[in-house]
Amino acid sequence: GCIAVMIGIVSGAILYFVGHTFFLSLTNPICLFLVPPIALAFERVAARYYRQSIREFQRLLLVSTSPLDQSASELVCGQVTIRALRAQRHALLGALDSLDRLRRASFLKSVTGLWLSLRLGLLGYTLTAFNTLYPVMQFYGWVRPQAAGLVGFTMAYSGQLIGIIKQLIGNFSDVEMQLISIERLKEYAQQPEDAAKLDLAKPPPPPAGWPSAGRLELKAVCVAYGNGLSAPLALREVTFEVAASERV
């Protein structure tokens, strides 16, 4: 639904751009010679740098969001176990690390948007400055005289035209970023099952008549909750033996 809405917004921006260009051509045909190179420069700046970068930053942002959600869920659902193991500091540092990774990705995405806005603004000032100087050029007889109302109309529409081009580039980039979610869902759907992916060798079957007695022996057992070597140990070097018919 969101992608369909964005496609509709992009289509509306294209029609809005065509309408503004048409009315601008009626009042100031000279400025139409500046619209194609400015639009081409916008697209080259956006396509070569912004759109390629923003897709990767959006993918990085989505990947960084999952560990944070998982950490928040573990903190809420496993708070009793965390307090019992006195692992509050470890759990809190893990959540803060996930949050820091997410904020870094969000910062990169925001800075890239500001980078694009600055360059598009500098390019757009060319058309705006030409229409703003139109009364001066008309005074010296360099251009065909126009009514004051039409000159003001041209100045207002030129600024809106630049805004439409910026909106079009932004909306098109938003559509590409929304498609990244579909791409990730497709990757998850095509991934093999965990057991098949690990391809672990099956242990040999137990001998016939096993177990002959209900005896259990553990030697230097270490058990930890969580992945990685930094997870706190719930059992450390535990050794004990349970004889047959013995209750624990």
Side-chain angles (χ1 to χ4, degrees):
C2 181
I3 297 178
V5 172
M6 294 303 301
I7 292 176
I9 294 176
V10 171
S11 302
I14 293 175
L15 296 177
Y16 203 50
F17 172 78
V18 173
H20 274 61
T21 305
F22 174 74
F23 284 107
L24 193 62
S25 64
L26 297 179
T27 57
N28 189 4
I30 301 177
C31 69
L32 291 181
F33 294 100
L34 297 176
V35 173
I38 292 177
L40 181 61
F42 276 19
E43 175 58 23
R44 289 186 63 86
V45 171
R48 178 174 297 182
Y49 301 108
Y50 175 73
R51 285 171 48 199
Q52 294 181 4
S53 301
I54 200 66
R55 289 196 300 266
E56 299 302 325
F57 290 150
Q58 178 68 13
R59 185 177 289 106
L60 182 62
L61 182 65
L62 294 177
V63 172
S64 302
T65 304
S66 299
L68 179 62
D69 295 339
Q70 182 67 23
S71 299
S73 177
E74 291 177 353
L75 288 176
V76 174
C77 298
Q79 55 181 330
V80 177
T81 305
I82 293 174
R83 291 175 179 175
L85 298 176
R86 297 181 179 180
Q88 297 94 327
R89 178 179 176 82
H90 175 78
L92 181 60
L93 291 178
L96 292 178
D97 182 67
S98 300
L99 179 61
D100 183 62
R101 294 176 183 273
L102 177 63
R103 297 309 302 169
R104 288 182 181 180
S106 178
F107 176 76
L108 290 175
K109 182 180 177 181
S110 301
V111 170
T112 306
L114 295 175
W115 178 90
L116 177 69
S117 299
L118 175 62
R119 279 149 182 80
L120 294 186
L122 294 176
L123 291 173
Y125 289 151
T126 305
L127 182 60
T128 305
F130 177 80
N131 288 280
T132 304
L133 294 175
Y134 191 88
V136 179
M137 293 185 292
Q138 178 179 322
F139 177 78
Y140 287 102
W142 295 343
V143 295
R144 181 169 55 90
Q146 292 278 6
L150 292 178
V151 173
F153 180 83
T154 303
M155 295 170 62
Y157 260 49
S158 62
Q160 296 180 9
L161 189 64
I162 298 302
I164 294 171
I165 298 177
K166 293 180 181 179
Q167 179 186 354
L168 183 61
I169 294 175
N171 292 336
F172 193 79
S173 300
D174 290 339
V175 173
E176 292 181 334
M177 287 188 291
Q178 294 296 332
L179 291 175
I180 293 177
S181 301
I182 300 179
E183 175 185 318
R184 297 184 73 233
L185 290 176
K186 184 179 178 181
E187 291 178 356
Y188 290 147
Q190 294 177 349
Q191 284 182 352
E193 298 294 334
D194 293 339
K197 183 172 61 176
L198 292 177
D199 193 18
L200 297 177
K202 294 183 179 180
W210 182 87
S212 59
R215 177 173 171 272
L216 179 65
E217 182 180 358
L218 281 78
K219 295 182 179 180
V221 177
C222 297
V223 178
Y225 295 97
N227 297 324
L229 299 176
S230 60
L233 293 176
L235 299 178
R236 184 189 302 271
E237 300 291 336
V238 176
T239 301
F240 64 92
E241 180 179 353
V242 180
S245 302
E246 181 179 0
R247 294 184 179 182
V248 179

